[in-house]
Amino acid sequence: MSFWKNKTLAEMDTQEWESLCDGCGKCCLNKLIDDETEELYYTNAACKLLDPKDGHCVHYIQRFNFVPSCTQVTVDNVAELTWLPDSCAYRRLHLGRELPSWHPLITGSKEAMHAAGMSIRNKVTCETKVKYMEDHIVLWPLKDIE
């Protein structure tokens, strides 16, 4: 049942891989990089396809048709995606960490994740409503409680 403990990311099938995503929505936030320091900043401006209550893409299968710049997390690029938050299951497993106790694969639902404050629920605004991205920098996506 705990396939993530017995398999590497490369050994997982498509269904297992997709189920690792906790649906927090943090990867769908716009990010800024300081040109001088190369420091990464998260904003609360979410992709126009992100459901702000459930944290899932409303057009996940066809998302590249709507947002060509969307990045698909794969076993081949997970190490390079340094913008993934530390709480991300793909990042955690890649780095040899366990899934957190609030993860839906452990709890059976997303409610523990939302209750722990680890999702975008009630914290974001749609990117189409943002004039200056710099005015929307936030720290909460960096939170990793375990």
Side-chain angles (χ1 to χ4, degrees):
M1 190 105 189
S2 302
F3 65 88
W4 61 91
K5 292 182 179 183
N6 303 317
K7 293 184 177 185
T8 66
L9 291 173
E11 293 171 331
M12 293 180 191
D13 62 32
T14 303
Q15 182 179 0
E16 292 167 334
W17 179 267
E18 291 292 325
S19 71
L20 285 179
C21 178
D22 54 35
C24 73
K26 293 178 188 175
C27 63
C28 300
L29 298 174
N30 284 269
K31 296 146 200 85
L32 301 172
I33 297 178
D34 185 306
D35 292 336
E36 294 178 16
T37 66
E38 295 194 21
E39 189 168 353
L40 175 74
Y41 295 94
Y42 283 85
T43 73
N44 67 345
C47 173
K48 63 185 178 184
L49 300 182
L50 186 67
D51 181 312
K53 292 184 182 175
D54 293 329
H56 71 274
C57 181
V58 297
H59 292 295
Y60 183 72
I61 301 299
Q62 303 92 10
R63 67 191 181 279
F64 301 109
N65 295 333
F66 296 95
V67 183
S69 62
C70 181
T71 302
Q72 181 174 3
V73 180
T74 68
V75 70
D76 295 325
N77 70 5
V78 70
E80 302 165 16
L81 302 179
T82 56
W83 49 263
L84 288 172
D86 290 340
S87 59
C88 173
Y90 299 112
R91 183 173 177 84
R92 291 175 72 106
L93 293 178
H94 170 73
L95 296 174
R97 296 176 65 199
E98 294 287 326
L99 292 183
S101 62
W102 49 263
H103 194 282
L105 284 174
I106 296 185
T107 65
S109 79
K110 292 184 180 185
E111 288 312 309
M113 173 186 61
H114 295 310
M118 299 307 294
S119 74
I120 57 90
R121 182 184 273 178
N122 300 321
K123 298 177 186 173
V124 299
T125 188
C126 183
E127 65 188 356
T128 61
K129 297 178 180 176
V130 170
K131 186 171 183 178
Y132 300 110
M133 206 60 71
E134 298 83 5
D135 292 340
H136 291 268
I137 293 173
V138 291
L139 296 176
W140 57 262
L142 300 171
K143 183 178 178 183
D144 190 13
I145 57 176
E146 292 178 29

